Amino acid sequence: MKISFNWLKEFIDIQESPETVAELLTHSGLEVEKIEKFESLKGGLEGVVIGEVLTCEQHPNADRLKKTTVDVGLDAPINVVCGAPNVAAGQKVAVATIGATLYTAEGEAFPIKKSKIRGEVSEGMICAEDELGLGQSHDGIMVLKTDLKPGTPAADYFDVYKDVIFEIGLTPNRADAASHFGVSRDLKALLKRSLKKAHEEITLPEKKSDQGQTHIAIEEQSGCVRYAGISITGITVKDSPEWLKNKLRAIGLAPINNVVDVTNYILHGLGQPLHAFDLEEVKGKKVLIKTVAEGTPFVTLDGVERKLKATDLMICNEEAPMCIAGVFGGADSGVTSETTSVFIESACFSPDYVRKTSMVHGLKTDASFRFERGTDPRMVVDALKKAASLILEVAGGQIASDLTDLYPSPVADADVKTSYSRICDLIGVDIPASEIKEILANLDIDIQKEEDGKLSLKVPPYRVDVKREADIIEEVIRIYGFDKVEAVDRLSAAYIADFPEKDKEKLYAGLSTILTGNGFNEIVTNSLTKPAYAEWLKEAETSVSILNKLSEDLGVMRQRLLFSGLEVIAWNINRRQKDLKLFELGKIYQKDGESYKEHNRLALFLTGNKTHESWTAPKGSIDYYGLKQIVDMLLSKAGLENLSSGTPQQGIFSEGVSFYLKDKEVVSLGKVSNDLLKKMDISQPVYYADIDFDGLLNYSGKDLVYQEISRFPEVRRDLSLVLDTTVTFEQIETLAKKIERKLLTNVNVFDVYEGENLGEGKKSYSVSFILQDLEKTLTDKVIDKTMNRLMTAFEKELGAVIRK
């Protein structure tokens, strides 16, 4: 939202600089994201002054140039070489002095420097209309009719409008601040100054006739809180005066015509949307606020025919709809250059109706922005009077009807109770009661009753976000100043229970450090994705569909990080980046009956070669074991050990494994199936790990257990086991740790062999066993006894043949 500094000063006296005002607003919750200058002429004619041509003679070296001397208010005249045919002595002209920068109508910059033209010094430039950006004419210099003294800034003569514009990031709850008057109300409390008359009591001229008298009826009262209107005849639709155009241009609006510009001026000035109808199109002189039949065709101002919904609130005449209430006008009833009479509408529509209609039809306007959040029902008539007065001023005409105001159920102030002690307790600062009362008064919050420090308050309806005690306390602190609440050295809490720390950011920082240290790059992908992905995995029933989706490709919330990661891989491979290590922490979403669930997952992707091509390292493709090594490091960092394994979900992996803790899957990893890769247009293998980050967080944070490093040496023994191919290394490791719990510290397979000489269905594992006693040095007798027990178990339970 753009707010003009000059416009604010019409509502409240501001002596502070724009930067100071921006800081005050930001601290109060109206964050000023950007400050920029506005000038009705680019550059503001900086360095351009009024000059008087003293002498003008033929250039000695050029037939089409003149040599002039010009008084520009300095101690001595300056020399200017000019090529305009109409330059002559005695003229008042616009002179761009050395150092000035001119901008053409197209925005092209032209700096003015001291130069020599055909051997004669030129210390400036006498300007034509197009050279100042004032028009397109270049037939000659501009000859000014003015009594201004030489040296007077040209900006004064041309009345260049200058302003400072605040770009405010308005939060959805602050509908009351969606105007210059609304922002000035906050400044009133922040600066402790009274407002100038925001919308002075307007006394409209008496009506000249009943020519524009209309019958207004609210038939759908749930959709319209208040509706007022008045007719004006005999107007002339034309361009607005410059002051009005400049006001609108400064905040990024393009002027249209004097009537429409007035409605926009009131909207952005007072926050009250208005609409002007061509009175000739108000058939039967009736204005009806109602809904119409489902599917009724209606052409809006943008020329698009829309099929209306039965819930759309419409402004209708006797025969047909004229306007979508609070959202968009109709093509047939809008003001045109031929319009001579208008009906001006000012209303307060239900946010629910406007919000639903705006969403269904995909229409977002300045009016709907405000109505969706809630407008002030008490501003309706004042804004209408101000608009009517301005239209009479800029378009002529006369009042041709009574001002009709329908307000069937006036909106009451909100009742809120709190106390001085409660306010101070929650803020954490002892604010004097007198200061709290002053803040509330400056925010138009009326203290109805004060007894023993307890307050009964009335909140005006324009503050749609202030309904509870917490809201009142927030209002006090944002005006008092968050920066005045000091952080104390010692914090206390209202509970004494000891809860284990579960710091998501701390865990993620640790895991991401491991990943980036191993060459991974983090990616962040869209949580909206294609419905087809869920259909491929037969998960469409649990997809969370988007009601107002932007496109079919962004129609559902993602159920996995897999596909968005594969999209990134495909994009990079198509640009010859084939060696990739990627990870992403993100949410996934699922529908569970009538409810919805979301979970944090950590995804890893590996594809291409292990290292970039180099003569110092062998070339090799990434494989499952490279991914498994990284996953083991992450699980170890999270403190998870002794996980059981199982088969991962079918359809995602062509080969892989899942690890479980207490029957809950923590991670699944493996090679992505060729079928999925083909559908994603990826022709090289991709290895993928899907980690339950929420699960890691729940199981992490255990107290670390430390033990002294043993002073006694460890011993290694190797065995070669011939086994059935169905026996896994996990079975060997599990059995070994079951047989020897005290001395066995590690089991590792360092070679696997399959060949014809072993026999069909057989394979050989070369396995190392590390033995260590923490209290004494192992003897050969103990070592041999331990290994014999292991070999016996392998032979008996796994059918192993031990090669000795």
Side-chain angles (χ1 to χ4, degrees):
M1 180 183 72
K2 291 189 174 182
I3 292 294
S4 156
F5 188 57
N6 289 348
W7 206 335
L8 282 179
K9 290 192 285 187
E10 294 180 10
F11 293 115
I12 186 171
D13 182 34
I14 301 176
Q15 304 299 327
E16 289 76 9
S17 68
E19 290 73 22
T20 300
V21 172
E23 186 176 355
L24 284 171
L25 291 174
T26 298
H27 285 178
S28 72
L30 298 179
E31 184 180 359
V32 178
E33 298 174 338
K34 184 168 63 174
I35 303 176
E36 57 187 5
K37 291 182 178 180
F38 172 81
E39 295 162 329
S40 55
L41 280 176
K42 189 171 182 180
L45 299 184
E46 194 73 32
V48 182
V49 299
I50 302 297
E52 183 176 357
V53 181
L54 302 178
T55 64
C56 179
E57 58 188 43
Q58 186 65 43
H59 192 292
N61 303 317
D63 294 338
R64 296 186 178 181
L65 297 178
K66 301 288 180 62
K67 178 183 175 185
T68 69
T69 58
V70 185
D71 180 4
V72 291
L74 301 177
D75 294 336
I78 63 172
N79 297 306
V80 178
V81 175
C82 181
N86 63 329
V87 64
Q91 294 174 334
K92 289 286 185 72
V93 292
V95 182
T97 58
I98 295 172
T101 299
L102 301 182
Y103 295 89
T104 65
E106 292 75 26
E108 183 180 352
F110 182 72
I112 304 299
K113 302 176 182 178
K114 185 176 181 178
S115 60
K116 272 194 174 184
I117 301 176
R118 292 292 191 95
E120 296 293 329
V121 173
S122 184
E123 301 170 294
M125 186 171 78
I126 304 174
C127 300
E129 181 181 286
D130 66 331
E131 292 163 337
L132 295 177
L134 293 167
Q136 301 295 327
S137 175
H138 195 70
D139 294 337
I141 60 168
M142 297 182 71
V143 180
L144 311 178
K145 295 181 180 180
T146 179
D147 294 328
L148 292 174
K149 294 180 179 180
T152 302
D156 294 347
Y157 176 82
F158 292 107
D159 196 21
V160 176
Y161 181 78
K162 296 183 179 181
D163 200 351
V164 176
I165 306 301
F166 301 136
E167 185 80 45
I168 294 180
L170 192 68
T171 53
N173 63 308
R174 291 302 308 277
D176 65 291
S179 67
H180 288 79
F181 177 46
V183 173
S184 69
R185 282 186 297 217
D186 266 16
L187 288 175
K188 168 191 171 185
L190 293 165
L191 298 172
K192 299 180 180 179
R193 288 180 201 146
S194 59
L195 290 177
K196 300 176 184 179
K197 283 205 170 182
H199 42 283
E200 64 274 14
E201 283 295 325
I202 301 291
T203 302
L204 294 174
E206 292 186 6
K207 64 178 180 178
K208 298 294 184 181
S209 69
D210 289 326
Q211 183 181 349
Q213 192 65 45
T214 56
H215 170 72
I216 302 175
I218 303 176
E219 297 184 8
E220 188 67 40
Q221 293 196 3
S222 62
C224 183
V225 177
R226 189 175 188 180
Y227 193 95
I230 195 170
S231 298
I232 303 175
T233 59
I235 67 168
T236 302
V237 177
K238 57 184 179 181
D239 282 350
S240 296
E242 283 302 313
W243 71 265
L244 181 51
K245 288 182 178 180
N246 285 332
K247 289 278 190 185
L248 299 180
R249 287 172 180 150
I251 58 173
L253 297 179
I256 298 173
N257 60 52
N258 49 1
V259 175
V260 175
D261 291 349
V262 165
T263 62
N264 283 329
Y265 174 76
I266 297 299
L267 183 149
H268 289 276
L270 301 180
Q272 174 60 46
L274 304 171
H275 189 70
F277 297 89
D278 188 324
L279 187 58
E280 296 298 321
E281 298 301 325
V282 183
K283 306 299 183 184
K285 295 293 173 60
K286 288 185 178 181
V287 175
L288 309 175
I289 300 92
K290 62 178 185 177
T291 56
V292 296
E294 180 83 20
T296 300
F298 181 70
V299 180
T300 46
L301 276 171
D302 55 2
V304 176
E305 181 178 284
R306 292 178 163 84
K307 300 296 183 182
L308 298 176
K309 300 293 182 181
T311 54
D312 292 339
L313 189 67
M314 304 298 296
I315 311 300
C316 306
N317 58 33
E318 189 177 52
E319 300 174 1
M322 298 187 295
C323 173
I324 303 177
V327 181
F328 214 27
D332 295 334
S333 61
V335 174
T336 69
S337 59
E338 306 300 320
T339 299
T340 58
S341 303
V342 291
F343 172 77
I344 308 298
E345 162 196 283
S346 181
C348 178
F349 297 115
S350 163
D352 293 340
Y353 274 79
V354 175
R355 190 181 303 116
K356 182 179 290 186
T357 295
S358 176
M359 180 179 292
V360 166
H361 295 292
L363 291 171
K364 296 293 181 182
T365 61
D366 285 340
S368 69
F369 176 87
R370 287 156 178 82
F371 282 127
E372 285 179 21
R373 289 157 176 79
T375 57
D376 183 7
R378 298 178 184 175
M379 180 65 76
V380 169
V381 171
D382 289 333
L384 180 60
K385 287 182 177 180
K386 179 70 172 177
S389 176
L390 278 175
I391 289 173
L392 293 175
E393 177 185 330
V394 302
Q398 54 276 330
I399 302 297
S401 75
D402 295 324
L403 190 156
T404 303
D405 177 24
L406 302 182
Y407 197 7
S409 300
V411 179
D413 292 338
D415 293 311
V416 183
K417 296 183 183 299
T418 187
S419 65
Y420 293 124
S421 60
R422 180 68 171 163
I423 291 173
C424 295
D425 285 346
L426 288 189
I427 291 176
V429 176
D430 289 327
I431 306 173
S434 59
E435 188 167 356
I436 292 175
K437 290 174 71 172
E438 183 181 29
I439 290 173
L440 294 175
N442 285 332
L443 290 171
D444 298 334
I445 298 174
D446 185 34
I447 300 177
Q448 290 289 297
K449 184 179 179 181
E450 180 181 353
E451 185 176 352
D452 297 331
K454 296 180 180 179
L455 303 173
S456 295
L457 308 173
K458 291 281 189 182
V459 182
Y462 74 78
R463 286 310 305 268
V464 295
D465 60 323
V466 181
K467 302 296 182 186
R468 307 166 301 162
E469 181 186 51
D471 301 328
I472 293 291
I473 296 171
E474 181 183 358
E475 290 299 292
V476 172
I477 182 58
R478 74 180 185 85
I479 299 301
Y480 175 75
F482 288 99
D483 54 329
K484 294 181 183 178
V485 181
E486 296 183 1
V488 296
D489 294 333
R490 183 174 179 178
L491 299 176
S492 61
Y495 55 82
I496 59 173
D498 182 22
F499 294 99
E501 181 183 5
K502 298 293 183 182
D503 192 331
K504 171 186 172 183
E505 301 303 329
K506 185 176 180 180
L507 175 61
Y508 179 60
L511 300 184
S512 61
T513 298
I514 292 173
L515 291 168
T516 53
N518 281 275
F520 281 75
N521 289 308
E522 184 174 13
I523 59 175
V524 179
T525 61
N526 199 338
S527 57
L528 300 177
T529 191
K530 297 179 181 179
Y533 295 153
E535 293 171 3
W536 294 348
L537 298 179
K538 296 181 173 55
E539 297 174 339
E541 290 184 0
T542 55
S543 290
V544 179
S545 299
I546 304 300
L547 296 179
N548 57 334
K549 53 191 173 186
L550 299 175
S551 69
E552 289 300 325
D553 283 349
L554 301 175
V556 299
M557 306 291 284
R558 65 187 176 194
Q559 294 198 61
R560 298 180 180 278
L561 300 181
L562 170 64
F563 295 103
S564 54
L566 292 179
E567 287 175 350
V568 174
I569 289 174
W571 194 91
N572 277 273
I573 290 175
N574 290 338
R575 285 153 183 81
R576 301 184 181 279
Q577 301 299 316
K578 297 185 176 182
D579 303 331
L580 302 169
K581 294 182 177 181
L582 308 173
F583 74 96
E584 178 177 15
L585 175 67
K587 289 185 181 295
I588 62 171
Y589 309 86
Q590 293 172 321
K591 186 177 181 181
D592 183 13
E594 295 301 318
S595 62
Y596 299 92
K597 294 181 179 180
E598 60 180 56
H599 305 281
N600 290 294
R601 309 291 292 192
L602 177 62
L604 313 183
F605 299 88
L606 290 176
T607 187
N609 294 316
K610 295 179 181 178
T611 60
H612 293 296
E613 188 174 9
S614 170
W615 65 275
T616 61
K619 184 178 179 181
S621 297
I622 288 170
D623 55 21
Y624 163 81
Y625 298 102
L627 178 61
K628 172 68 164 52
Q629 182 183 28
I630 296 295
V631 170
D632 285 342
M633 294 171 67
L634 298 180
L635 295 176
S636 176
K637 177 68 177 179
L640 271 67
E641 299 177 351
N642 300 322
L643 301 180
S644 59
S645 61
T647 304
Q649 177 181 336
Q650 297 296 319
I652 295 179
F653 301 105
S654 58
E655 52 189 63
V657 65
S658 290
F659 292 101
Y660 297 85
L661 181 63
K662 299 178 181 178
D663 297 326
K664 180 177 176 60
E665 186 180 73
V666 177
V667 57
S668 58
L669 67 152
K671 183 180 179 182
V672 179
S673 73
N674 291 331
D675 182 50
L676 284 184
L677 294 180
K678 185 177 180 180
K679 290 179 178 179
M680 298 297 296
D681 198 24
I682 297 173
S683 57
Q684 64 187 49
V686 175
Y687 291 89
Y688 164 66
D690 180 20
I691 301 173
D692 179 5
F693 185 81
D694 290 334
L696 292 190
L697 187 62
N698 290 334
Y699 294 125
S700 66
K702 299 176 183 176
D703 292 334
L704 294 178
V705 179
Y706 296 91
Q707 66 180 31
E708 183 181 357
I709 297 176
S710 176
R711 294 179 289 111
F712 303 101
E714 60 182 28
V715 175
R716 169 173 169 161
R717 290 291 184 268
D718 296 342
L719 291 179
S720 180
L721 309 175
V722 179
L723 300 155
D724 292 338
T725 54
T726 57
V727 178
T728 65
F729 169 69
E730 182 183 11
Q731 291 175 274
I732 299 173
E733 183 181 29
T734 301
L735 179 59
K737 290 181 177 180
K738 177 182 176 181
I739 297 300
E740 180 51 62
R741 299 176 183 272
K742 183 179 178 181
L743 301 180
L744 185 63
T745 60
N746 188 43
V747 182
N748 180 54
V749 59
F750 59 89
D751 191 25
V752 179
Y753 172 75
E754 292 183 79
E756 294 181 359
N757 57 332
L758 291 179
E760 187 177 352
K762 297 291 184 180
K763 62 182 175 182
S764 173
Y765 278 121
S766 295
V767 184
S768 65
F769 300 86
I770 305 298
L771 307 175
Q772 187 178 39
D773 193 322
L774 300 179
E775 299 177 355
K776 58 181 180 293
T777 302
L778 290 173
T779 64
D780 289 340
K781 182 178 179 181
V782 172
I783 296 170
D784 292 342
K785 182 179 179 181
T786 301
M787 293 306 299
N788 285 332
R789 288 173 55 232
L790 289 174
M791 288 188 287
T792 301
F794 294 150
E795 290 171 336
K796 183 178 179 181
E797 298 192 28
L798 299 180
V801 175
I802 299 175
R803 303 173 67 184
K804 302 176 182 178

